[in-house]
Amino acid sequence: LRVLVFLARFVLTPTNPVIRLVPMACEDAQFLYRWFVRIIAVAAVMAGASKVVERMAISEELSLLLSSAGGLSVFLLLIAMIWQSRHKVAKAICQDAADGTCGHSPLRAGFAKSWHIFAILYVIFVGCFWQISALLAGEVTILKLIASLFVIPLFLGIDQWGQRLLKVASGELPETIDLSGDDEPETGDEPDSPDEATSDFEPEVDEKPPAATYVPLVKRLFRIVLVVAMFFLILRLWGID
């Protein structure tokens, strides 16, 4: 539990946006951190109790009941988290749109309004599949359930992080994190000669970095690789060759 909480604090850093690995607001980072700790705490307590009962050979049925109750608690908590964050995620989906409202993209607008329905259905499907496997085989762990539920948000976060790096490489996000805290001094001196005055108004040529030409292709390939990796990771989690 302590290791997982440390990893969540390391990735989200809810109190320090400067070193946060995932680009998000402090409010969103704190929201995700609190819910992650709740889910991990419930899973750790229930799975630990189930493992103790199993190792002490008290009752196989009781061990299976505790494990099943832990899994049920995990995906009920996750459904509650999805429901509470439905509006924030909808805004994030339309964040890259030109007007910020997805008005020019009906498909994206529809997904922004109904993404939580698909997410909840996915959680219910995985939860039911896990419960059936746990009750029939008894070899499915809560860790596999959590990994299956969080694999899609994890890959979405990796995608956003990769897209941000590509924007920086292409010059779309030229600003980096400023650690100095000093503003550039403003000088009110007037130019001494007409030549200097006209030189200040010379048009600047906006030269894009050479990498900007290949950024759209790299973005597409990056997302294809992520989708393929996520697909095979889910298959591996559930023991499918």
Side-chain angles (χ1 to χ4, degrees):
L1 176 60
R2 294 298 302 172
V3 170
L4 293 175
V5 170
F6 170 77
L7 291 176
R9 184 179 293 273
F10 174 74
V11 174
L12 297 173
T13 53
T15 58
N16 193 345
V18 177
I19 60 174
R20 186 173 300 141
L21 296 180
V22 181
M24 63 175 60
C26 293
E27 181 183 358
D28 299 333
Q30 293 171 3
F31 174 84
L32 288 177
Y33 177 75
R34 287 194 300 267
W35 274 102
F36 185 80
V37 171
R38 292 171 188 170
I39 293 174
I40 293 300
V42 171
V45 171
M46 300 300 292
S50 174
K51 188 61 65 175
V52 168
V53 172
E54 179 186 352
R55 293 297 183 184
M56 296 182 67
I58 298 175
S59 172
E60 184 179 355
E61 291 78 9
L62 179 59
S63 174
L64 192 59
L65 177 63
L66 290 172
S67 179
S68 179
L72 179 63
S73 302
V74 165
F75 67 81
L76 287 179
L77 286 173
L78 192 57
I79 289 175
M81 184 190 75
I82 293 172
W83 183 257
Q84 286 191 7
S85 61
R86 64 190 186 278
H87 298 301
K88 294 181 179 180
V89 176
K91 291 180 180 179
I93 292 173
C94 294
Q95 186 177 6
D96 295 335
D99 55 355
T101 59
C102 294
H104 300 288
S105 178
L107 183 61
R108 179 181 287 191
F111 181 70
K113 292 180 181 179
S114 59
W115 75 269
H116 58 283
I117 298 177
F118 297 104
I120 290 174
L121 290 177
Y122 172 76
V123 171
I124 293 175
F125 172 77
V126 173
C128 292
F129 185 79
W130 182 88
Q131 289 283 5
I132 294 173
S133 301
L135 293 175
L136 293 180
E139 299 178 354
V140 183
T141 61
I142 295 181
L143 183 60
K144 183 179 293 187
L145 171 64
I146 295 177
S148 302
L149 294 175
F150 279 93
V151 65
I152 292 181
L154 174 64
F155 276 83
L156 289 176
I158 295 174
D159 175 68
Q160 292 297 319
W161 184 63
Q163 299 298 325
R164 185 177 180 86
L165 289 181
L166 290 173
K167 287 182 179 180
V168 173
S170 64
E172 295 181 31
L173 293 177
E175 296 183 0
T176 56
I177 298 176
D178 185 11
L179 300 179
S180 62
D182 298 331
D183 296 332
E184 295 182 359
E186 298 181 358
T187 58
D189 299 337
E190 297 182 356
D192 296 335
S193 63
D195 296 336
E196 294 181 3
T198 56
S199 63
D200 294 337
F201 296 97
E202 291 180 357
E204 296 181 358
V205 180
D206 186 13
E207 296 182 357
K208 294 184 178 180
T213 308
Y214 305 99
V215 165
L217 176 61
V218 174
K219 284 183 178 180
R220 193 174 296 109
L221 292 176
F222 181 71
R223 282 181 170 166
I224 291 174
V225 171
L226 277 181
V227 170
V228 172
M230 180 180 65
F231 175 74
F232 283 107
L233 179 60
I234 293 176
L235 293 182
R236 185 175 181 85
L237 284 173
W238 294 101
I240 301 175
D241 190 356

